[in-house]
Amino acid sequence: MTTIPFAVQLYTLRNETERDFEGTVRKVAELGFHGVEFAGFGGLSPEKVKALLAELGLKAASSHVPLEQLKENLIQVIEEHQIIGCPYIVCPYIENREPEDYEVLIEDLRRISAICRDHGITLCYHNHDFELTPLPDGTLPLEKILQETGEAEVQAEFDIYWIQKAGGDPAAWIDRYQGRTPLIHLKDMTLDEEQFFAELGTGGVDLDTIFTLGEKNGVKWWVVEQDESRRTPMESLEISMSYVKNKFPHLVEN
C-alpha cells in the first residue's frame, strides 16, 4: 500500500485563488488533500501562508517559481519558502527552446540549485511536451537537462500528461530516473482525438503502473493538476480526489 501523500497544484484553481486565495485553500483541505503545490501566494505574506497551512493541517509540498524570479531574486524566494516550510522549488516552464537556450538553462539550473541546496531546499525541473522534441543531434531536451545537471543538483517533477502527449511512456521515465522523481504531476488524458486534460481515472493514462512505480522509486508527493477543465476546476478536483479516496481509502479519511 502506498503511503505517498497527495497535493494539489494551485494553478488548477488560478482563477479561484485570484478571487479568494484563503477560501480556495480551505476548500482544497475539505476535499482531503494533504498539501498544496504553490503557484504564487495570492498576495499573502509567507507568514500568513504558513499560518493558513497550519490551521488547515496542510503541508507545503512544493512551489512553482518562474525561472526569471529564480535568476533575479533567488535569495528572497528561498527565504519565503523557508518560512512556509517548503522543501522543493520547481522551475515550471521555459520560453526559449533553441539548442543554445537549453545550454543556458542548464547553467542557470546548476547555479540556482547550488544556492538552494546551501539553504536546505531542493530544485526540481517540471516538463511539458516540448522537452521531448528531439534536438538536432537527436537528444531529447529533458534527457539533456537531467544528464548534464546530475542527481545531486536537479531533481525531476515529471508531468505524466505531457510525457504521454509527446508520445512518451510516463512509467518508463519514472522507472529510468529512480530516486530522482520526488514530485509527480498526476493527470489523466481523454481517450478522444483531442487528448484533453481529464480527471484522474477517467482517461487513458496507466495510473496503476505509475502508482506502483512511485512507491518503488522514491516519490515523495503526488501532485494533482488539471491545466484546463470542461467542468469547474473544483468539480474536476473533487472527481480526481474521489478516485484517490476509492483507490487509497486509508490515506484520505475525513
PDB file of all heavy atoms in Angstrom, residues 2 6 32 44 47 56 61 75 92 100 109 136 138-140 145-146 154 181 187 196 201 205-206 208 210-211:
ATOM      1  N   THR A   2       0.574   2.141  -0.884  1.00  0.00           N
ATOM      2  CA  THR A   2       1.341   3.381  -0.941  1.00  0.00           C
ATOM      3  C   THR A   2       1.031   4.280   0.246  1.00  0.00           C
ATOM      4  O   THR A   2      -0.087   4.289   0.751  1.00  0.00           O
ATOM      5  CB  THR A   2       1.056   4.134  -2.247  1.00  0.00           C
ATOM      6  OG1 THR A   2       1.852   5.312  -2.285  1.00  0.00           O
ATOM      7  CG2 THR A   2      -0.396   4.527  -2.363  1.00  0.00           C
ATOM      8  N   PHE A   6      -0.875  13.240  -1.156  1.00  0.00           N
ATOM      9  CA  PHE A   6      -1.385  13.921  -2.347  1.00  0.00           C
ATOM     10  C   PHE A   6      -1.492  15.426  -2.101  1.00  0.00           C
ATOM     11  O   PHE A   6      -1.999  15.858  -1.069  1.00  0.00           O
ATOM     12  CB  PHE A   6      -2.770  13.383  -2.716  1.00  0.00           C
ATOM     13  CG  PHE A   6      -2.757  11.996  -3.292  1.00  0.00           C
ATOM     14  CD1 PHE A   6      -2.620  10.888  -2.463  1.00  0.00           C
ATOM     15  CD2 PHE A   6      -2.864  11.786  -4.654  1.00  0.00           C
ATOM     16  CE1 PHE A   6      -2.600   9.604  -2.985  1.00  0.00           C
ATOM     17  CE2 PHE A   6      -2.840  10.509  -5.190  1.00  0.00           C
ATOM     18  CZ  PHE A   6      -2.708   9.420  -4.351  1.00  0.00           C
ATOM     19  N   GLY A  32      -9.774  16.796   1.072  1.00  0.00           N
ATOM     20  CA  GLY A  32      -8.974  15.710   1.619  1.00  0.00           C
ATOM     21  C   GLY A  32      -7.530  15.685   1.179  1.00  0.00           C
ATOM     22  O   GLY A  32      -6.811  14.727   1.480  1.00  0.00           O
ATOM     23  N   LEU A  44      -0.619  36.987  -0.317  1.00  0.00           N
ATOM     24  CA  LEU A  44      -0.420  36.820   1.122  1.00  0.00           C
ATOM     25  C   LEU A  44       1.072  36.802   1.450  1.00  0.00           C
ATOM     26  O   LEU A  44       1.893  36.381   0.643  1.00  0.00           O
ATOM     27  CB  LEU A  44      -1.047  35.517   1.617  1.00  0.00           C
ATOM     28  CG  LEU A  44      -2.524  35.544   2.024  1.00  0.00           C
ATOM     29  CD1 LEU A  44      -3.407  35.829   0.820  1.00  0.00           C
ATOM     30  CD2 LEU A  44      -2.925  34.223   2.680  1.00  0.00           C
ATOM     31  N   GLU A  47       4.293  34.530   6.033  1.00  0.00           N
ATOM     32  CA  GLU A  47       3.845  34.272   7.405  1.00  0.00           C
ATOM     33  C   GLU A  47       2.362  33.910   7.443  1.00  0.00           C
ATOM     34  O   GLU A  47       1.947  32.988   8.176  1.00  0.00           O
ATOM     35  CB  GLU A  47       4.117  35.491   8.283  1.00  0.00           C
ATOM     36  CG  GLU A  47       5.589  35.763   8.557  1.00  0.00           C
ATOM     37  CD  GLU A  47       6.305  36.463   7.397  1.00  0.00           C
ATOM     38  OE1 GLU A  47       5.618  36.880   6.429  1.00  0.00           O
ATOM     39  OE2 GLU A  47       7.536  36.606   7.454  1.00  0.00           O
ATOM     40  N   LEU A  56      -5.129  24.550   8.706  1.00  0.00           N
ATOM     41  CA  LEU A  56      -5.866  23.569   7.921  1.00  0.00           C
ATOM     42  C   LEU A  56      -5.221  22.189   7.925  1.00  0.00           C
ATOM     43  O   LEU A  56      -5.780  21.241   7.369  1.00  0.00           O
ATOM     44  CB  LEU A  56      -5.991  24.062   6.473  1.00  0.00           C
ATOM     45  CG  LEU A  56      -6.735  25.385   6.294  1.00  0.00           C
ATOM     46  CD1 LEU A  56      -6.676  25.826   4.838  1.00  0.00           C
ATOM     47  CD2 LEU A  56      -8.184  25.250   6.759  1.00  0.00           C
ATOM     48  N   ALA A  61       3.932  21.227  -0.111  1.00  0.00           N
ATOM     49  CA  ALA A  61       4.629  20.137  -0.794  1.00  0.00           C
ATOM     50  C   ALA A  61       5.765  20.669  -1.647  1.00  0.00           C
ATOM     51  O   ALA A  61       6.878  20.136  -1.633  1.00  0.00           O
ATOM     52  CB  ALA A  61       3.648  19.342  -1.657  1.00  0.00           C
ATOM     53  N   ILE A  75      17.453  34.711  -3.481  1.00  0.00           N
ATOM     54  CA  ILE A  75      17.556  34.678  -2.015  1.00  0.00           C
ATOM     55  C   ILE A  75      16.213  35.002  -1.363  1.00  0.00           C
ATOM     56  O   ILE A  75      15.805  34.328  -0.409  1.00  0.00           O
ATOM     57  CB  ILE A  75      18.651  35.642  -1.527  1.00  0.00           C
ATOM     58  CG1 ILE A  75      20.027  35.176  -2.033  1.00  0.00           C
ATOM     59  CG2 ILE A  75      18.649  35.725  -0.008  1.00  0.00           C
ATOM     60  CD1 ILE A  75      20.404  33.764  -1.625  1.00  0.00           C
ATOM     61  N   PRO A  92       9.170  25.799 -13.550  1.00  0.00           N
ATOM     62  CA  PRO A  92       7.990  25.204 -14.182  1.00  0.00           C
ATOM     63  C   PRO A  92       7.923  25.270 -15.700  1.00  0.00           C
ATOM     64  O   PRO A  92       7.159  24.516 -16.307  1.00  0.00           O
ATOM     65  CB  PRO A  92       6.854  26.038 -13.585  1.00  0.00           C
ATOM     66  CG  PRO A  92       7.465  27.388 -13.364  1.00  0.00           C
ATOM     67  CD  PRO A  92       8.914  27.143 -13.041  1.00  0.00           C
ATOM     68  N   GLU A 100      20.749  26.317 -28.044  1.00  0.00           N
ATOM     69  CA  GLU A 100      21.587  27.158 -27.180  1.00  0.00           C
ATOM     70  C   GLU A 100      20.838  27.605 -25.926  1.00  0.00           C
ATOM     71  O   GLU A 100      21.452  27.864 -24.880  1.00  0.00           O
ATOM     72  CB  GLU A 100      22.098  28.380 -27.949  1.00  0.00           C
ATOM     73  CG  GLU A 100      21.017  29.263 -28.539  1.00  0.00           C
ATOM     74  CD  GLU A 100      20.600  28.878 -29.946  1.00  0.00           C
ATOM     75  OE1 GLU A 100      20.813  27.709 -30.340  1.00  0.00           O
ATOM     76  OE2 GLU A 100      20.070  29.749 -30.657  1.00  0.00           O
ATOM     77  N   LEU A 109      20.277  26.370 -14.031  1.00  0.00           N
ATOM     78  CA  LEU A 109      19.794  25.396 -13.057  1.00  0.00           C
ATOM     79  C   LEU A 109      20.908  24.955 -12.111  1.00  0.00           C
ATOM     80  O   LEU A 109      20.683  24.788 -10.908  1.00  0.00           O
ATOM     81  CB  LEU A 109      19.203  24.180 -13.771  1.00  0.00           C
ATOM     82  CG  LEU A 109      17.911  24.416 -14.569  1.00  0.00           C
ATOM     83  CD1 LEU A 109      17.490  23.138 -15.287  1.00  0.00           C
ATOM     84  CD2 LEU A 109      16.780  24.919 -13.681  1.00  0.00           C
ATOM     85  N   PRO A 136      18.585  18.889 -32.684  1.00  0.00           N
ATOM     86  CA  PRO A 136      19.220  18.481 -33.948  1.00  0.00           C
ATOM     87  C   PRO A 136      20.138  17.264 -33.830  1.00  0.00           C
ATOM     88  O   PRO A 136      20.270  16.490 -34.785  1.00  0.00           O
ATOM     89  CB  PRO A 136      20.002  19.736 -34.350  1.00  0.00           C
ATOM     90  CG  PRO A 136      19.199  20.864 -33.788  1.00  0.00           C
ATOM     91  CD  PRO A 136      18.687  20.347 -32.478  1.00  0.00           C
ATOM     92  N   GLY A 138      19.574  14.732 -31.997  1.00  0.00           N
ATOM     93  CA  GLY A 138      18.765  13.582 -31.632  1.00  0.00           C
ATOM     94  C   GLY A 138      18.492  13.445 -30.150  1.00  0.00           C
ATOM     95  O   GLY A 138      17.669  12.621 -29.733  1.00  0.00           O
ATOM     96  N   THR A 139      19.154  14.233 -29.342  1.00  0.00           N
ATOM     97  CA  THR A 139      18.954  14.192 -27.890  1.00  0.00           C
ATOM     98  C   THR A 139      17.620  14.832 -27.523  1.00  0.00           C
ATOM     99  O   THR A 139      17.219  15.839 -28.100  1.00  0.00           O
ATOM    100  CB  THR A 139      20.079  14.951 -27.173  1.00  0.00           C
ATOM    101  OG1 THR A 139      21.329  14.413 -27.571  1.00  0.00           O
ATOM    102  CG2 THR A 139      19.934  14.847 -25.659  1.00  0.00           C
ATOM    103  N   LEU A 140      16.941  14.252 -26.566  1.00  0.00           N
ATOM    104  CA  LEU A 140      15.736  14.880 -26.027  1.00  0.00           C
ATOM    105  C   LEU A 140      16.152  15.931 -25.002  1.00  0.00           C
ATOM    106  O   LEU A 140      16.984  15.648 -24.130  1.00  0.00           O
ATOM    107  CB  LEU A 140      14.824  13.841 -25.372  1.00  0.00           C
ATOM    108  CG  LEU A 140      14.295  12.718 -26.265  1.00  0.00           C
ATOM    109  CD1 LEU A 140      13.372  11.809 -25.469  1.00  0.00           C
ATOM    110  CD2 LEU A 140      13.567  13.276 -27.484  1.00  0.00           C
ATOM    111  N   ILE A 145      18.849  17.885 -19.988  1.00  0.00           N
ATOM    112  CA  ILE A 145      18.778  18.641 -18.736  1.00  0.00           C
ATOM    113  C   ILE A 145      19.165  17.755 -17.557  1.00  0.00           C
ATOM    114  O   ILE A 145      19.970  18.145 -16.697  1.00  0.00           O
ATOM    115  CB  ILE A 145      17.365  19.222 -18.545  1.00  0.00           C
ATOM    116  CG1 ILE A 145      17.095  20.327 -19.576  1.00  0.00           C
ATOM    117  CG2 ILE A 145      17.186  19.765 -17.122  1.00  0.00           C
ATOM    118  CD1 ILE A 145      15.632  20.711 -19.684  1.00  0.00           C
ATOM    119  N   LEU A 146      18.601  16.545 -17.505  1.00  0.00           N
ATOM    120  CA  LEU A 146      18.851  15.675 -16.369  1.00  0.00           C
ATOM    121  C   LEU A 146      20.256  15.081 -16.404  1.00  0.00           C
ATOM    122  O   LEU A 146      20.901  14.929 -15.362  1.00  0.00           O
ATOM    123  CB  LEU A 146      17.796  14.568 -16.332  1.00  0.00           C
ATOM    124  CG  LEU A 146      16.360  15.059 -16.073  1.00  0.00           C
ATOM    125  CD1 LEU A 146      15.371  13.907 -16.165  1.00  0.00           C
ATOM    126  CD2 LEU A 146      16.248  15.751 -14.718  1.00  0.00           C
ATOM    127  N   VAL A 154      19.823  18.693  -9.658  1.00  0.00           N
ATOM    128  CA  VAL A 154      18.444  18.978 -10.074  1.00  0.00           C
ATOM    129  C   VAL A 154      17.639  17.691 -10.069  1.00  0.00           C
ATOM    130  O   VAL A 154      18.032  16.695 -10.684  1.00  0.00           O
ATOM    131  CB  VAL A 154      18.404  19.618 -11.475  1.00  0.00           C
ATOM    132  CG1 VAL A 154      16.953  19.864 -11.904  1.00  0.00           C
ATOM    133  CG2 VAL A 154      19.182  20.935 -11.489  1.00  0.00           C
ATOM    134  N   THR A 181      12.805  11.469  -8.765  1.00  0.00           N
ATOM    135  CA  THR A 181      11.470  11.993  -9.063  1.00  0.00           C
ATOM    136  C   THR A 181      10.650  12.158  -7.783  1.00  0.00           C
ATOM    137  O   THR A 181       9.681  11.443  -7.562  1.00  0.00           O
ATOM    138  CB  THR A 181      10.730  11.059 -10.036  1.00  0.00           C
ATOM    139  OG1 THR A 181      10.629   9.743  -9.445  1.00  0.00           O
ATOM    140  CG2 THR A 181      11.472  10.945 -11.355  1.00  0.00           C
ATOM    141  N   LYS A 187      -1.962  13.488 -13.809  1.00  0.00           N
ATOM    142  CA  LYS A 187      -3.011  13.965 -14.709  1.00  0.00           C
ATOM    143  C   LYS A 187      -3.494  12.784 -15.530  1.00  0.00           C
ATOM    144  O   LYS A 187      -2.786  11.800 -15.687  1.00  0.00           O
ATOM    145  CB  LYS A 187      -2.488  15.036 -15.672  1.00  0.00           C
ATOM    146  CG  LYS A 187      -1.925  16.285 -15.027  1.00  0.00           C
ATOM    147  CD  LYS A 187      -1.423  17.250 -16.088  1.00  0.00           C
ATOM    148  CE  LYS A 187      -0.782  18.471 -15.464  1.00  0.00           C
ATOM    149  NZ  LYS A 187      -0.219  19.382 -16.494  1.00  0.00           N
ATOM    150  N   PHE A 196      -7.521  15.730 -24.345  1.00  0.00           N
ATOM    151  CA  PHE A 196      -7.708  16.841 -23.421  1.00  0.00           C
ATOM    152  C   PHE A 196      -7.372  16.386 -22.003  1.00  0.00           C
ATOM    153  O   PHE A 196      -7.325  15.199 -21.693  1.00  0.00           O
ATOM    154  CB  PHE A 196      -9.158  17.339 -23.501  1.00  0.00           C
ATOM    155  CG  PHE A 196      -9.396  18.671 -22.864  1.00  0.00           C
ATOM    156  CD1 PHE A 196      -8.846  19.824 -23.401  1.00  0.00           C
ATOM    157  CD2 PHE A 196     -10.175  18.789 -21.714  1.00  0.00           C
ATOM    158  CE1 PHE A 196      -9.070  21.064 -22.816  1.00  0.00           C
ATOM    159  CE2 PHE A 196     -10.398  20.013 -21.128  1.00  0.00           C
ATOM    160  CZ  PHE A 196      -9.850  21.155 -21.682  1.00  0.00           C
ATOM    161  N   GLY A 201      -8.513   8.826 -13.407  1.00  0.00           N
ATOM    162  CA  GLY A 201      -9.331   7.630 -13.520  1.00  0.00           C
ATOM    163  C   GLY A 201     -10.361   7.668 -14.622  1.00  0.00           C
ATOM    164  O   GLY A 201     -11.094   6.687 -14.803  1.00  0.00           O
ATOM    165  N   VAL A 205      -4.436   7.290 -19.278  1.00  0.00           N
ATOM    166  CA  VAL A 205      -3.102   7.156 -18.673  1.00  0.00           C
ATOM    167  C   VAL A 205      -3.095   5.964 -17.717  1.00  0.00           C
ATOM    168  O   VAL A 205      -4.032   5.783 -16.928  1.00  0.00           O
ATOM    169  CB  VAL A 205      -2.708   8.453 -17.932  1.00  0.00           C
ATOM    170  CG1 VAL A 205      -1.377   8.280 -17.222  1.00  0.00           C
ATOM    171  CG2 VAL A 205      -2.648   9.627 -18.902  1.00  0.00           C
ATOM    172  N   ASP A 206      -2.049   5.158 -17.790  1.00  0.00           N
ATOM    173  CA  ASP A 206      -1.931   3.966 -16.949  1.00  0.00           C
ATOM    174  C   ASP A 206      -1.497   4.377 -15.543  1.00  0.00           C
ATOM    175  O   ASP A 206      -0.324   4.276 -15.172  1.00  0.00           O
ATOM    176  CB  ASP A 206      -0.931   2.996 -17.566  1.00  0.00           C
ATOM    177  CG  ASP A 206      -0.788   1.700 -16.767  1.00  0.00           C
ATOM    178  OD1 ASP A 206      -1.523   1.521 -15.773  1.00  0.00           O
ATOM    179  OD2 ASP A 206       0.068   0.875 -17.143  1.00  0.00           O
ATOM    180  N   ASP A 208      -2.264   3.001 -12.652  1.00  0.00           N
ATOM    181  CA  ASP A 208      -1.916   1.899 -11.756  1.00  0.00           C
ATOM    182  C   ASP A 208      -0.415   1.619 -11.784  1.00  0.00           C
ATOM    183  O   ASP A 208       0.225   1.462 -10.731  1.00  0.00           O
ATOM    184  CB  ASP A 208      -2.689   0.634 -12.147  1.00  0.00           C
ATOM    185  CG  ASP A 208      -4.146   0.684 -11.715  1.00  0.00           C
ATOM    186  OD1 ASP A 208      -4.481   1.532 -10.859  1.00  0.00           O
ATOM    187  OD2 ASP A 208      -4.947  -0.111 -12.240  1.00  0.00           O
ATOM    188  N   ILE A 210       1.933   3.667 -12.712  1.00  0.00           N
ATOM    189  CA  ILE A 210       2.638   4.830 -12.176  1.00  0.00           C
ATOM    190  C   ILE A 210       2.614   4.826 -10.654  1.00  0.00           C
ATOM    191  O   ILE A 210       3.632   5.091 -10.005  1.00  0.00           O
ATOM    192  CB  ILE A 210       2.038   6.116 -12.763  1.00  0.00           C
ATOM    193  CG1 ILE A 210       2.452   6.239 -14.244  1.00  0.00           C
ATOM    194  CG2 ILE A 210       2.472   7.346 -11.971  1.00  0.00           C
ATOM    195  CD1 ILE A 210       1.673   7.237 -15.030  1.00  0.00           C
ATOM    196  N   PHE A 211       1.475   4.494 -10.070  1.00  0.00           N
ATOM    197  CA  PHE A 211       1.407   4.430  -8.608  1.00  0.00           C
ATOM    198  C   PHE A 211       2.362   3.353  -8.071  1.00  0.00           C
ATOM    199  O   PHE A 211       3.048   3.557  -7.075  1.00  0.00           O
ATOM    200  CB  PHE A 211      -0.020   4.129  -8.151  1.00  0.00           C
ATOM    201  CG  PHE A 211      -0.937   5.319  -8.197  1.00  0.00           C
ATOM    202  CD1 PHE A 211      -2.192   5.217  -8.785  1.00  0.00           C
ATOM    203  CD2 PHE A 211      -0.559   6.532  -7.656  1.00  0.00           C
ATOM    204  CE1 PHE A 211      -3.044   6.312  -8.831  1.00  0.00           C
ATOM    205  CE2 PHE A 211      -1.404   7.627  -7.694  1.00  0.00           C
ATOM    206  CZ  PHE A 211      -2.653   7.516  -8.282  1.00  0.00           C
TER     207      PHE A 211
END
